[in-house]
Amino acid sequence: MKKLITVLTTGILLSSSMITATYAQSSGGIVFDTPTRSAAVSNDNTNSANANANTTSSTAQPILDAKLEIMNTTQNVDASKAKNKAGDTIKVTATLGNLGPGDLKSHPVQVMAEELLKLGSLIDAGDGGQQTLGKAVVYPAVNITEDCDCEETFNFTIKLNENMCTDFPSLVKTGALVKFEDQQKSLSFECTTATVVTPVTPVRTTPTQETTVPAVATPVVTATKAPVTKSGPEALILLGAAAAFGGFNLLRKRK
């Protein structure tokens, strides 16, 4: 009669295998059959491992890779390092990528540019872009898988208003801030004061007519010497001489 027994080797219970042997009762004692090793994997352990794998996969979050570039295309320089002036054209480019390990699903895209939109006009919103309440330019949500070695690019163009310096002097002085995800850049501005030239009105002059003033003859006043009156004996002599001369002339006429 054969009986099945379990033999424990060196006092250690092997959880993953059992050594079985058979013995037969004979005159020589116990006879062992060739032992066999069988791996027994618990169903509970398998289910637990699968559950952990599914949990890790579902909780993996994407890592965003965002970039922001702003160019002054009028001056052909980085707008964040330039003195932007009225009438200049500003191009904003936002780039979004996914570094993994999870997928990026239905992620909203918006570039905050409230101050810049106030100082200028949106002349090109890019592919699918639109301005919202004068605060941002938004685009349709994007999906980027973890294994995609790719980027999504969004750009728009703003032309600075000619009268921005007079309409928003305080904002021009403090500057504008543009934000995209964890990226942001500030823009500074410069206003040139135009020199006002006052036109000179020509003065019409009337030709001067020459007026001839007749010469006025100045009368020549000849000083008349007053006769000197003799007095005393000289006067008597003169009177006598005159009387004698007069008498002489009278006698000549009678003759």
Side-chain angles (χ1 to χ4, degrees), residues 4-184:
L4 180 65
I5 64 172
T6 302
V7 179
L8 302 179
T9 305
T10 64
I12 300 175
L13 176 64
L14 300 178
S15 61
S16 61
S17 64
M18 293 184 301
I19 300 176
T20 59
T22 58
Y23 72 94
Q25 181 134 15
S26 66
S27 60
I30 300 174
V31 178
F32 290 90
D33 292 336
T34 303
T36 60
R37 185 184 181 112
S38 61
V41 180
S42 171
N43 289 334
D44 293 339
N45 293 338
T46 302
N47 294 336
S48 177
N50 291 337
N52 290 336
N54 293 335
T55 302
T56 303
S57 177
S58 62
T59 58
Q61 298 296 324
I63 300 177
L64 300 182
D65 182 22
K67 300 182 182 70
L68 180 62
E69 181 182 89
I70 307 177
M71 287 291 296
N72 184 319
T73 57
T74 301
Q75 302 182 30
N76 195 29
V77 293
D78 185 344
S80 64
K81 299 178 181 178
K83 293 294 184 180
N84 304 285
K85 301 178 182 179
D88 286 356
T89 301
I90 308 297
K91 184 176 181 179
V92 179
T93 301
T95 306
L96 186 64
N98 180 16
L99 300 179
D103 294 339
L104 187 65
K105 299 178 180 180
S106 300
H107 186 77
V109 179
Q110 63 177 4
V111 182
M112 303 300 298
E114 181 177 0
E115 296 90 353
L116 190 58
L117 289 169
K118 184 176 292 186
L119 295 176
S121 302
L122 183 65
I123 60 176
D124 184 6
D127 187 14
Q130 60 181 350
Q131 181 178 339
T132 59
L133 302 177
K135 295 184 177 181
V137 179
V138 299
Y139 298 87
V142 296
N143 300 309
I144 306 177
T145 60
E146 62 173 319
D147 57 350
C148 177
D149 185 16
C150 57
E151 294 179 333
E152 294 286 347
T153 302
F154 316 90
N155 54 67
F156 60 89
T157 304
I158 290 178
K159 184 177 179 62
L160 297 177
N161 295 331
E162 294 289 348
N163 56 346
M164 71 174 189
C165 294
T166 55
D167 290 349
F168 305 100
S170 299
L171 184 55
V172 168
K173 185 177 180 180
T174 57
L177 193 64
V178 180
K179 297 180 180 180
F180 176 63
E181 298 294 344
D182 60 344
Q183 301 292 309
Q184 67 177 29

